[in-house]
Amino acid sequence: QVQLVESGGGLVQPGGSLRLSCAASRSIFSVDAMGWYRQAPGKERELVARIGSTTSPNYADSVKGRFTISTDNAKNTVYLQMNRLEPEDTAVYYCHARYSVMNYWGKGTLVTVSS
């Protein structure tokens, strides 16, 4: 079993920045993929950004050029740097990790973009 704990969410004004963190209870050196998803009220969960052990990061079109996903293997942590935030980015953000055929999710962290 792997626990994923997100942090860094909060309230930010449009145009502002936040950095989300996701700490894993197992080494991410062996992870197949890690990523961030989000779910806005009344909408389905969607992929925001994903990074694989052998693949380059990929992003949802709506966040390209604004969000950056990165990892720190020494800290078993994946980050999501979010810049130029828009009200449409308001959602609960979930961390995801896939180890072989097993998928794990964090409990989510709320990001609210509002003036």
Side-chain angles (χ1 to χ4, degrees), residues 54-88:
T54 59
T55 57
S56 299
N58 63 291
Y59 299 90
D61 288 343
S62 59
V63 308
K64 283 181 180 176
R66 301 188 297 124
F67 291 10
T68 303
I69 188 171
S70 62
T71 60
D72 185 334
N73 288 350
K75 296 182 178 180
N76 296 329
T77 299
V78 61
Y79 301 97
L80 185 68
Q81 177 66 44
M82 307 186 293
N83 298 327
R84 304 201 311 274
L85 283 159
E86 304 169 353
E88 293 73 24

Side-chain angles (χ1 to χ4, degrees), residues 24-36:
S25 62
R26 183 193 292 182
S27 170
I28 65 172
F29 183 79
S30 60
V31 74
D32 289 334
M34 292 195 78
W36 290 93

Side-chain angles (χ1 to χ4, degrees), residues 37-56:
Y37 290 72
R38 68 186 181 187
Q39 187 166 18
K43 295 187 177 181
E44 294 186 352
R45 190 174 297 188
E46 63 175 359
L47 173 69
V48 176
R50 180 171 53 207
I51 187 167
S53 58
T54 59
T55 57
S56 299

Side-chain angles (χ1 to χ4, degrees), residues 5-9 19-23 36 77-80 95 109:
V5 179
E6 303 102 333
S7 61
R19 188 177 79 156
L20 305 183
S21 301
C22 171
W36 290 93
T77 299
V78 61
Y79 301 97
L80 185 68
C95 180
T109 184

